[in-house]
Amino acid sequence: MKLLREPLLHFLVIGAVIFGVYQWATGDETAPDEIVVSAGQIASLQAIFSQTWQRPPTAKETEALVDEYIRDEVVYREGIAMGLDRDDAIVRRRIRQKMEFVADLAAAVQPTDAELRAFVADHPDRFSGEPSLSFTQVYFPAGAQAANEVEVERLRLALNAGAADASTAGSPLLAGSDFRDLTKSEVAQTFGAEFAEWIDRAAPDTWHGPVLSGYGTHLVRVSERVEAREIPFEQVRDAARREWLHARKVAANDALYEKLRSRYVIKVENMPGASTETIVGAAE
């Protein structure tokens, strides 16, 4: 386990991956019929073995790793020569993933607190607390015991006029009648998404309804709303770092794609709705 904590081992494993991707991206400069297993490649194979098995390989195991590497390389080259990589969706997807991984490595730089604060300031909706509200509801169950629309409307008018008591009206609901400081998502969990959308738009201090939920029919009075609040930076730093890194990776992948795409003239034949061949990109 001590070996797994060695920074040098982590560096070698990362280096092995980068080296492999680089070799694939730049092409092999050796002759087509020559396979060179460099000292760096051997070190990479050993590092990956150590990471997997939690110990360095023996001399015999290293020899087997090299033999397997050569076998892979021979079969891979012959497969490429036969065109077996063409029109294969899995191969195409894997190569795309490797190219995007290269861009991800370039983007994997840890942000400073100043950068994170600026990111949070630019995206306040992502890093603020949800609005909350408090409300009271009067419940009428679905089914044979449900009150009719006329009765519900009569009660709503009476409640607004102060001529009825909400605590004794309607039927008891196991979830309760008074709710304090619930977010919209919490309201949706209890009463359903449509109820949450409706109550989110309801004017405060007035009985509204009827509104339906999974339980039945309700009259509702919103007593308080608390708008979205700013959360201290220290509480959102980790979330901001994750989103900052994700945004950076997306931008790096887009930049790589645009750079590579600029090398090609792209023609799309028989585009639906187009009467002629469409040129959607051109090399500079």
Side-chain angles (χ1 to χ4, degrees):
M1 296 302 294
K2 181 179 179 182
L3 177 65
L4 293 180
R5 294 193 294 268
E6 286 295 329
L8 178 59
L9 175 60
H10 298 165
F11 174 79
L12 288 174
V13 172
I14 295 173
V17 176
I18 296 175
F19 180 81
V21 174
Y22 176 78
Q23 285 292 95
W24 171 85
T26 58
D28 192 347
E29 296 180 356
T30 60
D33 58 350
E34 181 182 4
I35 295 176
V36 176
V37 186
S38 68
Q41 287 169 319
I42 295 174
S44 296
L45 294 171
Q46 291 173 320
I48 294 173
F49 181 98
S50 299
Q51 182 76 357
T52 302
W53 298 103
Q54 304 180 18
R55 64 174 178 81
T58 65
K60 187 173 182 179
E61 287 170 332
T62 298
E63 183 178 350
L65 290 172
V66 172
D67 287 343
E68 187 63 21
Y69 174 85
I70 294 171
R71 184 186 185 95
D72 280 349
E73 187 66 17
V74 169
V75 176
Y76 170 75
R77 291 192 187 187
E78 291 303 313
I80 293 295
M82 295 171 63
L84 299 182
D85 59 317
R86 299 170 191 165
D87 301 322
D88 188 313
I90 295 176
V91 172
R92 288 164 63 93
R93 190 178 304 118
R94 184 59 178 154
I95 291 175
R96 174 177 173 175
Q97 289 173 345
K98 286 187 175 182
M99 290 295 292
E100 291 177 345
F101 179 67
V102 173
D104 289 349
L105 290 175
V109 178
Q110 290 301 315
T112 64
D113 271 6
E115 289 173 318
L116 290 179
R117 288 181 185 275
F119 185 77
V120 170
D122 290 340
H123 305 85
D125 55 316
R126 302 186 193 178
F127 304 104
S128 59
E130 269 194 88
S132 63
L133 52 81
S134 300
F135 65 94
T136 301
Q137 65 84 32
V138 174
Y139 167 62
F140 305 93
Q145 301 301 318
N148 61 45
E149 293 182 7
V150 173
E151 292 174 338
V152 172
E153 177 61 14
R154 183 181 298 118
L155 177 60
R156 186 186 70 81
L157 294 174
L159 288 170
N160 279 325
D165 184 356
S167 64
T168 59
S171 300
L173 178 65
L174 186 61
S177 58
D178 293 308
F179 299 86
R180 296 289 176 264
D181 301 321
L182 296 187
T183 64
K184 184 177 177 179
S185 57
E186 290 172 333
V187 174
Q189 287 176 2
T190 302
F191 293 97
E194 292 185 8
F195 184 99
E197 289 291 342
W198 181 90
I199 196 174
D200 190 48
R201 299 189 298 268
D205 300 322
T206 302
W207 285 95
H208 297 277
V211 58
L212 300 179
S213 76
Y215 298 108
T217 302
H218 307 261
L219 292 177
V220 179
R221 178 181 180 272
V222 175
S223 56
E224 183 183 14
R225 292 184 185 276
V226 178
E227 297 304 320
R229 65 193 185 282
E230 182 178 349
I231 300 177
F233 173 73
E234 290 71 20
Q235 295 181 23
V236 299
R237 179 189 280 111
D238 291 342
R241 179 182 289 109
R242 288 193 297 271
E243 294 208 26
W244 186 94
L245 289 170
H246 175 72
R248 185 179 175 90
K249 288 181 179 181
V250 170
N253 273 284
D254 288 345
L256 174 63
Y257 169 69
E258 292 300 329
K259 181 178 180 180
L260 298 176
R261 189 179 187 277
S262 68
R263 302 177 184 177
Y264 298 88
V265 173
I266 302 172
K267 299 180 179 180
V268 180
E269 298 178 349
N270 300 323
M271 174 73 79
S275 58
T276 59
E277 179 180 70
T278 303
I279 299 178
V280 296
E284 297 179 356

